[in-house]
Coordinates of all heavy atoms in Angstrom, one line a residue:
M1 N 50.4 -22.9 -2.9 CA 49.8 -22.1 -3.8 C 50.9 -21.0 -4.2 O 51.6 -20.5 -3.4 CB 48.6 -21.4 -3.2 CG 48.0 -20.4 -4.1 SD 46.6 -19.5 -3.4 CE 47.5 -18.3 -2.4
K2 N 50.9 -20.7 -5.5 CA 51.8 -19.7 -6.1 C 51.1 -18.5 -6.3 O 50.0 -18.5 -7.0 CB 52.5 -20.3 -7.3 CG 53.6 -19.4 -7.9 CD 54.2 -20.1 -9.1 CE 55.3 -19.3 -9.7 NZ 55.9 -19.9 -10.9
L3 N 51.6 -17.3 -5.8 CA 51.0 -16.0 -6.0 C 52.0 -15.2 -6.8 O 53.1 -15.0 -6.3 CB 50.6 -15.4 -4.7 CG 50.1 -14.0 -4.7 CD1 48.7 -14.0 -5.4 CD2 50.0 -13.5 -3.3
V4 N 51.7 -14.7 -7.9 CA 52.6 -13.9 -8.7 C 52.2 -12.4 -8.8 O 51.0 -12.1 -9.1 CB 52.7 -14.5 -10.2 CG1 53.7 -13.6 -11.0 CG2 53.2 -15.9 -10.2
A5 N 53.1 -11.6 -8.4 CA 52.8 -10.1 -8.5 C 53.5 -9.6 -9.8 O 54.7 -9.8 -10.0 CB 53.5 -9.4 -7.3
E6 N 52.7 -9.1 -10.6 CA 53.1 -8.4 -11.9 C 53.3 -7.0 -11.6 O 52.3 -6.3 -11.3 CB 52.2 -8.7 -13.0 CG 52.0 -10.2 -13.4 CD 53.3 -10.8 -14.0 OE1 54.1 -10.0 -14.5 OE2 53.4 -12.0 -13.9
I7 N 54.5 -6.5 -11.7 CA 54.8 -5.1 -11.3 C 55.1 -4.2 -12.6 O 55.9 -4.6 -13.4 CB 56.1 -5.1 -10.4 CG1 55.9 -6.0 -9.3 CG2 56.4 -3.7 -10.0 CD1 57.2 -6.6 -8.7
E8 N 54.3 -3.2 -12.7 CA 54.4 -2.3 -13.9 C 55.8 -1.7 -14.0 O 56.4 -1.4 -13.0 CB 53.4 -1.2 -13.8 CG 51.9 -1.7 -14.0 CD 51.0 -0.5 -14.1 OE1 51.3 0.5 -14.7 OE2 49.9 -0.7 -13.6
K9 N 56.2 -1.5 -15.3 CA 57.5 -0.9 -15.5 C 57.6 0.5 -14.9 O 56.7 1.2 -14.9 CB 57.7 -0.8 -17.0 CG 59.1 -0.3 -17.4 CD 59.3 -0.4 -18.9 CE 60.7 0.1 -19.2 NZ 61.4 -0.6 -20.3
G10 N 58.7 0.7 -14.2 CA 58.9 2.0 -13.6 C 58.5 1.9 -12.1 O 58.8 2.9 -11.4
W11 N 57.9 0.8 -11.7 CA 57.5 0.7 -10.3 C 58.3 -0.5 -9.6 O 58.8 -1.3 -10.3 CB 56.0 0.4 -10.2 CG 55.2 1.5 -10.5 CD1 54.8 1.9 -11.8 CD2 54.6 2.5 -9.6 NE1 54.1 3.0 -11.7 CE2 53.9 3.4 -10.4 CE3 54.6 2.6 -8.3 CZ2 53.2 4.5 -9.9 CZ3 53.9 3.7 -7.7 CH2 53.2 4.6 -8.5
H12 N 58.4 -0.5 -8.3 CA 59.0 -1.6 -7.6 C 58.1 -2.0 -6.4 O 57.3 -1.2 -5.9 CB 60.3 -1.1 -6.9 CG 61.3 -0.4 -7.9 ND1 62.0 -1.1 -8.8 CD2 61.6 0.9 -8.0 CE1 62.7 -0.2 -9.5 NE2 62.5 1.0 -9.1
L13 N 58.3 -3.2 -6.0 CA 57.5 -3.8 -4.9 C 58.5 -4.1 -3.8 O 59.5 -4.8 -4.0 CB 56.8 -5.1 -5.3 CG 56.1 -5.9 -4.3 CD1 54.9 -5.2 -3.8 CD2 55.7 -7.3 -4.9
Y14 N 58.3 -3.5 -2.6 CA 59.2 -3.7 -1.5 C 59.1 -5.1 -1.0 O 58.1 -5.8 -1.1 CB 58.9 -2.8 -0.3 CG 59.3 -1.3 -0.6 CD1 58.4 -0.3 -0.7 CD2 60.6 -1.0 -0.6 CE1 58.7 1.0 -0.9 CE2 61.0 0.3 -0.9 CZ 60.1 1.3 -1.0 OH 60.5 2.6 -1.2
S15 N 60.2 -5.6 -0.4 CA 60.2 -7.0 0.0 C 59.3 -7.2 1.3 O 58.8 -6.2 1.8 CB 61.7 -7.4 0.4 OG 62.1 -6.8 1.6
M16 N 59.3 -8.4 1.8 CA 58.5 -8.7 3.0 C 59.3 -8.5 4.3 O 58.7 -8.5 5.3 CB 58.0 -10.2 2.9 CG 57.1 -10.5 1.7 SD 56.6 -12.2 1.7 CE 55.5 -12.2 3.1
R17 N 60.5 -8.1 4.2 CA 61.4 -7.9 5.3 C 61.1 -6.6 6.0 O 61.3 -5.5 5.3 CB 62.8 -8.1 5.0 CG 63.7 -8.1 6.2 CD 65.1 -8.3 5.8 NE 65.7 -7.0 5.9 CZ 67.0 -6.7 5.8 NH1 67.9 -7.7 5.5 NH2 67.5 -5.5 5.8
P18 N 60.7 -6.5 7.2 CA 60.5 -5.2 7.9 C 61.9 -4.6 8.2 O 62.8 -5.2 8.6 CB 59.8 -5.5 9.1 CG 59.9 -7.0 9.4 CD 60.3 -7.6 8.1
L19 N 61.9 -3.3 7.9 CA 63.1 -2.5 8.2 C 62.7 -1.3 9.1 O 61.8 -0.6 8.8 CB 63.7 -1.9 6.9 CG 64.2 -2.9 5.9 CD1 64.6 -2.3 4.6 CD2 65.4 -3.7 6.5
E20 N 63.4 -1.2 10.3 CA 63.1 -0.1 11.2 C 63.3 1.2 10.5 O 64.3 1.5 9.9 CB 63.9 -0.2 12.4 CG 63.5 0.8 13.5 CD 64.3 0.6 14.8 OE1 64.7 -0.5 15.1 OE2 64.4 1.6 15.5
D21 N 62.3 2.1 10.5 CA 62.3 3.4 9.9 C 62.4 3.3 8.3 O 62.7 4.3 7.7 CB 63.4 4.3 10.4 CG 63.2 4.6 11.9 OD1 62.1 4.7 12.3 OD2 64.2 4.6 12.6
G22 N 62.0 2.1 7.8 CA 62.1 1.9 6.3 C 60.7 1.9 5.7 O 59.7 2.2 6.4
P23 N 60.7 1.4 4.5 CA 59.4 1.3 3.8 C 58.5 0.2 4.4 O 59.0 -0.7 5.1 CB 59.7 0.9 2.4 CG 61.1 0.2 2.5 CD 61.8 0.9 3.7
I24 N 57.2 0.3 4.2 CA 56.2 -0.7 4.7 C 56.5 -1.9 3.9 O 56.4 -1.9 2.7 CB 54.8 -0.2 4.5 CG1 54.6 1.1 5.3 CG2 53.8 -1.3 4.9 CD1 53.2 1.8 5.0
P25 N 56.7 -3.1 4.6 CA 57.0 -4.3 3.9 C 55.7 -4.9 3.3 O 54.6 -4.6 3.8 CB 57.5 -5.2 4.9 CG 57.0 -4.7 6.2 CD 56.8 -3.2 6.0
T26 N 55.9 -5.6 2.2 CA 54.7 -6.3 1.6 C 54.3 -7.4 2.5 O 55.1 -8.1 3.1 CB 55.2 -7.0 0.2 OG1 55.5 -5.9 -0.7 CG2 54.1 -7.8 -0.4
R27 N 53.0 -7.6 2.7 CA 52.4 -8.7 3.5 C 51.4 -9.5 2.7 O 50.7 -8.9 1.9 CB 51.7 -8.1 4.7 CG 52.5 -7.6 5.8 CD 51.7 -7.1 7.0 NE 50.8 -8.2 7.5 CZ 49.6 -8.0 7.9 NH1 49.1 -6.8 8.0 NH2 48.8 -9.0 8.3
I28 N 51.4 -10.8 2.9 CA 50.4 -11.7 2.3 C 49.8 -12.6 3.3 O 50.6 -13.1 4.2 CB 51.2 -12.6 1.2 CG1 51.8 -11.7 0.1 CG2 50.2 -13.5 0.6 CD1 52.7 -12.4 -0.8
W29 N 48.5 -12.7 3.3 CA 47.8 -13.5 4.3 C 46.5 -14.0 3.8 O 46.0 -13.6 2.8 CB 47.6 -12.8 5.7 CG 46.6 -11.7 5.7 CD1 45.3 -11.7 6.0 CD2 46.9 -10.3 5.3 NE1 44.7 -10.5 5.9 CE2 45.6 -9.6 5.4 CE3 48.0 -9.6 4.8 CZ2 45.5 -8.3 5.1 CZ3 47.8 -8.3 4.5 CH2 46.6 -7.6 4.7
I30 N 45.9 -15.0 4.5 CA 44.6 -15.5 4.1 C 43.6 -14.9 5.1 O 43.8 -14.9 6.3 CB 44.6 -17.1 4.2 CG1 45.6 -17.6 3.2 CG2 43.2 -17.6 4.0 CD1 45.7 -19.1 3.3
S31 N 42.5 -14.4 4.5 CA 41.5 -13.7 5.3 C 40.8 -14.7 6.3 O 40.7 -15.9 6.0 CB 40.4 -13.2 4.4 OG 40.9 -12.3 3.4
E32 N 40.4 -14.2 7.4 CA 39.8 -15.1 8.4 C 38.4 -15.5 8.0 O 37.8 -14.9 7.1 CB 39.7 -14.3 9.7 CG 41.0 -14.0 10.4 CD 40.9 -13.4 11.8 OE1 39.8 -13.6 12.4 OE2 41.8 -12.6 12.1
G33 N 37.9 -16.6 8.6 CA 36.5 -17.0 8.3 C 36.4 -17.8 7.0 O 35.4 -18.0 6.5
Q34 N 37.6 -18.3 6.4 CA 37.5 -19.1 5.2 C 37.7 -20.6 5.5 O 38.0 -21.0 6.7 CB 38.7 -18.6 4.3 CG 38.5 -17.2 3.8 CD 39.4 -17.0 2.6 OE1 39.2 -17.4 1.5 NE2 40.5 -16.2 2.9
Q35 N 37.6 -21.4 4.5 CA 37.8 -22.8 4.6 C 39.3 -23.2 4.6 O 39.6 -24.4 4.7 CB 37.1 -23.5 3.5 CG 35.6 -23.2 3.3 CD 34.8 -24.0 4.4 OE1 35.0 -25.1 4.6 NE2 33.9 -23.3 5.0
F36 N 40.2 -22.2 4.6 CA 41.6 -22.4 4.5 C 42.4 -21.6 5.5 O 41.9 -20.6 6.0 CB 42.1 -22.1 3.1 CG 41.4 -22.8 2.0 CD1 40.3 -22.2 1.3 CD2 41.8 -24.1 1.6 CE1 39.6 -22.9 0.3 CE2 41.1 -24.8 0.6 CZ 40.0 -24.2 0.0
Q37 N 43.6 -22.0 5.7 CA 44.5 -21.2 6.6 C 45.9 -21.4 6.1 O 46.2 -22.4 5.4 CB 44.3 -21.6 8.1 CG 44.6 -23.0 8.3 CD 44.3 -23.4 9.8 OE1 44.5 -24.6 10.1 NE2 43.7 -22.6 10.6
L38 N 46.8 -20.5 6.6 CA 48.2 -20.6 6.2 C 48.8 -21.9 6.9 O 48.5 -22.2 8.0 CB 49.0 -19.4 6.7 CG 48.9 -18.2 5.8 CD1 49.7 -17.0 6.5 CD2 49.5 -18.4 4.4
A39 N 49.6 -22.6 6.2 CA 50.2 -23.8 6.7 C 51.7 -23.6 7.1 O 52.4 -24.5 7.4 CB 50.1 -25.0 5.7
G40 N 52.1 -22.4 7.0 CA 53.5 -22.0 7.3 C 53.8 -20.6 6.8 O 52.9 -19.9 6.3
P41 N 55.1 -20.2 6.9 CA 55.4 -18.8 6.4 C 55.4 -18.8 4.9 O 55.7 -19.7 4.2 CB 56.8 -18.6 7.0 CG 57.3 -20.0 7.3 CD 56.2 -20.9 7.5
V42 N 55.1 -17.6 4.4 CA 55.1 -17.3 2.9 C 56.5 -17.3 2.5 O 57.4 -16.7 3.1 CB 54.4 -16.0 2.6 CG1 54.5 -15.6 1.2 CG2 52.9 -16.0 3.0
E43 N 56.8 -18.0 1.4 CA 58.2 -18.0 0.9 C 58.3 -16.9 -0.2 O 57.5 -16.9 -1.2 CB 58.5 -19.4 0.3 CG 58.5 -20.5 1.3 CD 58.8 -21.8 0.6 OE1 59.5 -21.9 -0.4 OE2 58.2 -22.8 1.2
A44 N 59.3 -16.1 -0.1 CA 59.4 -15.0 -1.0 C 60.7 -15.2 -1.8 O 61.7 -15.7 -1.3 CB 59.5 -13.6 -0.3
P45 N 60.8 -14.7 -3.1 CA 62.0 -14.8 -3.8 C 63.1 -13.8 -3.3 O 62.7 -12.9 -2.5 CB 61.6 -14.4 -5.3 CG 60.4 -13.6 -5.1 CD 59.7 -14.1 -3.8
R46 N 64.3 -14.0 -3.7 CA 65.4 -13.1 -3.2 C 65.2 -11.8 -3.9 O 65.1 -11.7 -5.1 CB 66.7 -13.7 -3.6 CG 67.9 -12.8 -3.1 CD 69.2 -13.5 -3.4 NE 69.3 -14.8 -2.8 CZ 69.9 -15.0 -1.7 NH1 70.4 -14.0 -1.0 NH2 70.0 -16.2 -1.2
P47 N 65.1 -10.7 -3.1 CA 64.9 -9.4 -3.7 C 66.2 -8.7 -4.1 O 67.3 -9.2 -3.7 CB 64.2 -8.6 -2.5 CG 64.8 -9.2 -1.3 CD 65.0 -10.7 -1.6
Q48 N 66.1 -7.6 -4.8 CA 67.2 -6.8 -5.1 C 67.4 -5.9 -3.9 O 66.5 -5.5 -3.2 CB 67.0 -5.9 -6.3 CG 66.7 -6.7 -7.6 CD 66.4 -5.8 -8.7 OE1 67.1 -4.8 -8.9 NE2 65.4 -6.1 -9.5
A49 N 68.7 -5.4 -3.7 CA 68.9 -4.5 -2.6 C 69.7 -3.3 -3.2 O 70.7 -3.5 -3.9 CB 69.8 -5.2 -1.5
V50 N 69.2 -2.1 -2.8 CA 69.9 -0.9 -3.2 C 69.8 0.2 -2.1 O 68.9 0.1 -1.2 CB 69.3 -0.2 -4.5 CG1 69.4 -1.2 -5.7 CG2 67.8 0.1 -4.3
H51 N 70.7 1.1 -2.1 CA 70.6 2.2 -1.2 C 69.5 3.2 -1.7 O 69.5 3.6 -2.8 CB 71.9 3.0 -1.0 CG 71.8 4.1 0.0 ND1 71.5 5.3 -0.3 CD2 72.1 4.0 1.3 CE1 71.5 6.1 0.8 NE2 71.8 5.3 1.8
D52 N 68.5 3.5 -0.8 CA 67.4 4.4 -1.1 C 67.7 5.7 -0.4 O 67.7 5.8 0.8 CB 66.1 3.8 -0.7 CG 64.9 4.6 -1.1 OD1 65.0 5.9 -1.1 OD2 63.9 4.1 -1.4
P53 N 67.9 6.8 -1.2 CA 68.2 8.1 -0.5 C 67.0 8.7 0.3 O 67.2 9.4 1.2 CB 68.6 9.0 -1.7 CG 68.0 8.4 -2.9 CD 68.0 6.9 -2.6
N54 N 65.8 8.2 -0.1 CA 64.6 8.7 0.6 C 64.6 8.2 2.1 O 64.1 8.9 3.0 CB 63.3 8.3 -0.1 CG 63.2 8.9 -1.5 OD1 63.4 10.1 -1.6 ND2 62.9 8.1 -2.4
F55 N 65.0 7.0 2.3 CA 65.1 6.4 3.6 C 66.5 6.4 4.2 O 66.7 6.1 5.3 CB 64.6 4.9 3.6 CG 63.1 4.8 3.3 CD1 62.7 4.4 2.0 CD2 62.2 5.0 4.2 CE1 61.4 4.3 1.7 CE2 60.8 4.9 3.9 CZ 60.4 4.5 2.7
D56 N 67.5 6.8 3.3 CA 68.9 6.8 3.7 C 69.3 5.4 4.3 O 69.9 5.4 5.4 CB 69.2 7.9 4.7 CG 70.7 8.1 4.8 OD1 71.5 7.8 3.9 OD2 71.2 8.6 5.9
M57 N 68.9 4.4 3.6 CA 69.3 3.0 4.0 C 69.2 2.1 2.8 O 68.6 2.5 1.8 CB 68.4 2.5 5.1 CG 66.9 2.3 4.7 SD 65.8 1.5 5.9 CE 66.0 2.6 7.3
E58 N 69.7 0.9 3.0 CA 69.5 -0.1 2.0 C 68.1 -0.7 2.1 O 67.7 -1.1 3.2 CB 70.6 -1.2 2.1 CG 70.6 -2.2 1.0 CD 71.7 -3.2 1.1 OE1 72.8 -2.9 0.6 OE2 71.5 -4.3 1.7
V59 N 67.4 -0.8 1.0 CA 66.1 -1.3 1.0 C 66.1 -2.5 0.0 O 66.9 -2.6 -0.9 CB 65.0 -0.3 0.6 CG1 64.9 0.8 1.5 CG2 65.2 0.2 -0.9
E60 N 65.1 -3.4 0.1 CA 64.9 -4.6 -0.7 C 63.6 -4.4 -1.5 O 62.6 -4.0 -1.0 CB 64.9 -5.8 0.1 CG 66.1 -6.1 0.9 CD 66.0 -7.3 1.8 OE1 64.9 -7.7 2.1 OE2 67.1 -7.8 2.2
F61 N 63.7 -4.8 -2.8 CA 62.5 -4.7 -3.6 C 62.6 -5.7 -4.8 O 63.6 -6.3 -5.1 CB 62.3 -3.3 -4.1 CG 63.4 -2.8 -5.1 CD1 63.3 -3.0 -6.5 CD2 64.6 -2.2 -4.6 CE1 64.3 -2.6 -7.3 CE2 65.6 -1.8 -5.5 CZ 65.4 -2.0 -6.8
Y62 N 61.4 -5.8 -5.5 CA 61.3 -6.6 -6.7 C 60.9 -5.7 -7.9 O 60.2 -4.7 -7.7 CB 60.2 -7.6 -6.5 CG 60.4 -8.5 -5.3 CD1 59.6 -8.3 -4.2 CD2 61.3 -9.5 -5.3 CE1 59.8 -9.1 -3.1 CE2 61.5 -10.3 -4.2 CZ 60.7 -10.1 -3.1 OH 60.9 -10.9 -2.0
D63 N 61.4 -6.0 -9.1 CA 61.0 -5.4 -10.3 C 60.4 -6.4 -11.3 O 60.8 -7.6 -11.2 CB 62.3 -4.9 -11.1 CG 62.7 -3.5 -10.6 OD1 61.9 -2.7 -10.2 OD2 63.9 -3.2 -10.7
G64 N 59.5 -6.0 -12.1 CA 59.0 -6.9 -13.2 C 57.9 -7.8 -12.6 O 56.7 -7.6 -12.8
S65 N 58.3 -8.9 -11.9 CA 57.4 -9.8 -11.3 C 58.1 -10.5 -10.1 O 59.3 -10.5 -10.1 CB 56.8 -10.8 -12.3 OG 57.9 -11.7 -12.7
A66 N 57.3 -11.0 -9.2 CA 57.8 -11.7 -8.1 C 56.8 -12.8 -7.8 O 55.6 -12.6 -7.6 CB 58.0 -10.8 -6.9
A67 N 57.3 -14.1 -7.6 CA 56.4 -15.2 -7.3 C 56.6 -15.6 -5.9 O 57.7 -15.9 -5.4 CB 56.8 -16.4 -8.3
F68 N 55.5 -15.6 -5.1 CA 55.5 -16.0 -3.7 C 54.9 -17.4 -3.6 O 53.9 -17.7 -4.3 CB 54.8 -15.0 -2.9 CG 55.4 -13.6 -3.0 CD1 55.0 -12.8 -4.0 CD2 56.3 -13.2 -2.1 CE1 55.5 -11.5 -4.1 CE2 56.8 -11.9 -2.2 CZ 56.4 -11.1 -3.2
V69 N 55.4 -18.2 -2.7 CA 54.7 -19.5 -2.4 C 54.0 -19.3 -1.1 O 54.6 -19.0 0.0 CB 55.8 -20.6 -2.3 CG1 55.1 -21.9 -1.9 CG2 56.5 -20.8 -3.6
V70 N 52.7 -19.6 -1.1 CA 51.8 -19.4 0.0 C 51.3 -20.8 0.4 O 50.5 -21.4 -0.2 CB 50.6 -18.5 -0.3 CG1 49.7 -18.3 0.9 CG2 51.1 -17.2 -0.9
P71 N 51.9 -21.4 1.5 CA 51.5 -22.7 1.9 C 50.1 -22.7 2.6 O 49.8 -21.9 3.5 CB 52.5 -23.1 3.0 CG 53.1 -21.8 3.5 CD 52.9 -20.8 2.4
V72 N 49.2 -23.5 2.0 CA 47.8 -23.4 2.4 C 47.3 -24.9 2.9 O 47.8 -25.8 2.3 CB 46.9 -23.0 1.2 CG1 45.4 -23.0 1.6 CG2 47.3 -21.6 0.8
R73 N 46.4 -24.9 3.9 CA 45.8 -26.2 4.2 C 44.4 -25.9 4.6 O 44.0 -24.7 4.8 CB 46.5 -26.8 5.4 CG 46.4 -26.0 6.7 CD 47.0 -26.8 7.9 NE 47.0 -25.9 9.1 CZ 48.1 -25.7 9.8 NH1 49.3 -26.2 9.4 NH2 48.1 -24.9 10.8
A74 N 43.6 -26.9 4.6 CA 42.2 -26.8 4.9 C 42.1 -26.5 6.4 O 42.8 -27.0 7.2 CB 41.4 -28.1 4.7
A75 N 41.2 -25.5 6.7 CA 40.9 -25.2 8.1 C 40.2 -26.3 8.8 O 39.5 -27.1 8.2 CB 40.1 -23.9 8.2
P76 N 40.3 -26.4 10.2 CA 39.6 -27.5 10.9 C 38.1 -27.5 10.6 O 37.5 -28.6 10.7 CB 39.9 -27.1 12.4 CG 41.1 -26.3 12.3 CD 41.1 -25.5 11.0
N77 N 37.5 -26.4 10.3 CA 36.0 -26.3 10.1 C 35.7 -26.4 8.6 O 34.5 -26.2 8.3 CB 35.5 -25.0 10.7 CG 36.0 -23.8 9.9 OD1 37.1 -23.8 9.3 ND2 35.4 -22.7 10.1
A78 N 36.6 -26.8 7.8 CA 36.4 -26.9 6.3 C 35.3 -27.9 6.0 O 35.3 -29.0 6.6 CB 37.7 -27.2 5.6
T79 N 34.5 -27.6 5.0 CA 33.5 -28.5 4.5 C 34.0 -29.2 3.3 O 34.8 -28.6 2.5 CB 32.1 -27.8 4.3 OG1 32.3 -26.8 3.4 CG2 31.6 -27.3 5.6
V80 N 33.5 -30.4 3.0 CA 33.8 -31.1 1.8 C 33.2 -30.4 0.5 O 32.1 -29.9 0.6 CB 33.3 -32.6 1.8 CG1 33.6 -33.3 0.6 CG2 34.0 -33.3 3.0
G81 N 34.0 -30.3 -0.5 CA 33.5 -29.7 -1.8 C 34.5 -28.7 -2.3 O 35.5 -28.4 -1.7
V82 N 34.1 -28.1 -3.4 CA 34.9 -27.0 -4.0 C 34.7 -25.7 -3.2 O 33.6 -25.4 -2.9 CB 34.5 -26.8 -5.5 CG1 35.2 -25.7 -6.1 CG2 34.7 -28.1 -6.3
Q83 N 35.8 -25.1 -2.9 CA 35.8 -23.8 -2.2 C 36.6 -22.8 -2.9 O 37.6 -23.1 -3.6 CB 36.4 -24.1 -0.8 CG 35.8 -25.2 0.0 CD 34.4 -24.8 0.5 OE1 34.0 -23.7 0.6 NE2 33.5 -25.9 0.6
K84 N 36.3 -21.5 -2.6 CA 37.1 -20.4 -3.1 C 38.1 -19.9 -2.0 O 37.7 -19.9 -0.9 CB 36.3 -19.3 -3.6 CG 35.5 -19.5 -4.9 CD 34.8 -18.3 -5.4 CE 34.1 -18.6 -6.7 NZ 33.5 -17.4 -7.2
L85 N 39.3 -19.5 -2.4 CA 40.3 -19.0 -1.5 C 40.5 -17.6 -1.7 O 40.8 -17.2 -2.9 CB 41.6 -19.8 -1.6 CG 42.8 -19.3 -0.9 CD1 42.6 -19.3 0.6 CD2 44.0 -20.1 -1.3
Q86 N 40.4 -16.7 -0.7 CA 40.6 -15.3 -0.9 C 41.9 -15.0 -0.1 O 42.1 -15.2 1.1 CB 39.5 -14.5 -0.3 CG 39.7 -13.0 -0.5 CD 38.6 -12.2 0.0 OE1 37.8 -12.6 0.9 NE2 38.5 -11.0 -0.4
V87 N 42.9 -14.5 -0.9 CA 44.2 -14.1 -0.3 C 44.3 -12.6 -0.3 O 43.9 -11.9 -1.2 CB 45.4 -14.7 -1.2 CG1 46.7 -14.2 -0.7 CG2 45.3 -16.2 -1.3
K88 N 44.7 -12.1 0.9 CA 44.9 -10.6 1.0 C 46.4 -10.3 0.9 O 47.2 -11.1 1.2 CB 44.4 -10.2 2.4 CG 42.9 -10.4 2.6 CD 42.1 -9.4 1.9 CE 40.6 -9.5 2.3 NZ 39.8 -8.5 1.7
R89 N 46.6 -9.1 0.5 CA 48.0 -8.6 0.4 C 48.0 -7.1 0.6 O 47.1 -6.4 0.3 CB 48.6 -9.0 -0.9 CG 48.2 -8.2 -2.1 CD 47.2 -8.9 -3.0 NE 46.9 -8.1 -4.1 CZ 45.7 -7.6 -4.3 NH1 44.7 -7.7 -3.4 NH2 45.4 -7.0 -5.4
L90 N 49.1 -6.7 1.2 CA 49.4 -5.3 1.4 C 50.7 -5.2 0.6 O 51.7 -5.7 0.9 CB 49.7 -4.9 2.8 CG 50.3 -3.6 3.0 CD1 49.3 -2.5 2.6 CD2 50.6 -3.3 4.5
L91 N 50.6 -4.5 -0.6 CA 51.7 -4.3 -1.4 C 52.3 -2.9 -1.3 O 51.5 -2.0 -1.4 CB 51.3 -4.6 -2.9 CG 50.7 -5.9 -3.2 CD1 50.3 -6.0 -4.7 CD2 51.7 -7.0 -2.9
S92 N 53.5 -2.8 -0.9 CA 54.1 -1.6 -0.7 C 55.0 -1.3 -2.0 O 55.9 -2.0 -2.2 CB 55.0 -1.6 0.5 OG 55.6 -0.4 0.8
V93 N 54.6 -0.2 -2.7 CA 55.2 0.0 -4.0 C 55.9 1.4 -4.0 O 55.5 2.3 -3.2 CB 54.2 -0.1 -5.1 CG1 53.7 -1.5 -5.3 CG2 53.1 0.9 -5.0
M94 N 56.8 1.6 -4.9 CA 57.5 2.9 -5.1 C 57.7 3.1 -6.6 O 57.8 2.1 -7.3 CB 58.8 3.0 -4.3 CG 59.9 2.0 -4.9 SD 61.4 2.3 -4.0 CE 62.4 1.1 -4.8
Q95 N 57.8 4.3 -7.0 CA 58.1 4.6 -8.4 C 59.4 5.3 -8.5 O 59.9 5.9 -7.6 CB 57.0 5.5 -8.9 CG 57.2 5.7 -10.4 CD 56.0 6.4 -11.0 OE1 55.4 7.2 -10.4 NE2 55.7 6.1 -12.3

């Protein structure tokens, strides 16, 4: 499944890579209790890297839009038929 984050002009979305004492990384996951589960790690595009004076370190982020690949499979308890998938995300943004 492809998940696209559209980022408003003037804002940035931090990457998924955790940095000690850095910004909160973006997280993407599938809510529990659904007919689906992650089938592997979320694939993220290559972010931009710049020195951020607020954290006094190099941080990674996305501008404009970022497309993530979320591998999904049916959960063992899945029932036959059309199902809805709810994806959760924690987006860490800066302006």
Side-chain angles (χ1 to χ4, degrees):
M1 175 184 78
K2 186 175 180 181
L3 176 67
V4 178
E6 296 292 339
I7 306 155
E8 289 187 40
K9 188 173 180 143
W11 290 83
H12 307 288
L13 174 66
Y14 286 112
S15 76
M16 296 180 71
R17 190 179 98 171
L19 299 171
E20 187 172 331
D21 298 324
I24 297 170
T26 294
R27 285 186 52 220
I28 300 169
W29 69 96
I30 295 176
S31 303
E32 291 184 29
Q34 294 192 75
Q35 303 284 317
F36 305 95
Q37 59 188 181
L38 282 176
V42 174
E43 296 176 31
R46 182 178 301 265
Q48 298 178 47
V50 297
H51 183 271
D52 185 324
N54 296 314
F55 292 103
D56 193 27
M57 67 172 58
E58 187 173 273
V59 299
E60 298 176 340
F61 65 91
Y62 305 102
D63 274 334
S65 68
F68 300 87
V69 176
V70 183
V72 176
R73 69 174 168 235
N77 64 341
T79 56
V80 176
V82 177
Q83 305 291 334
K84 287 187 178 184
L85 169 64
Q86 183 178 21
V87 177
K88 296 283 188 175
R89 77 258 183 247
L90 169 64
L91 302 177
S92 182
V93 295
M94 67 176 179
Q95 187 173 29

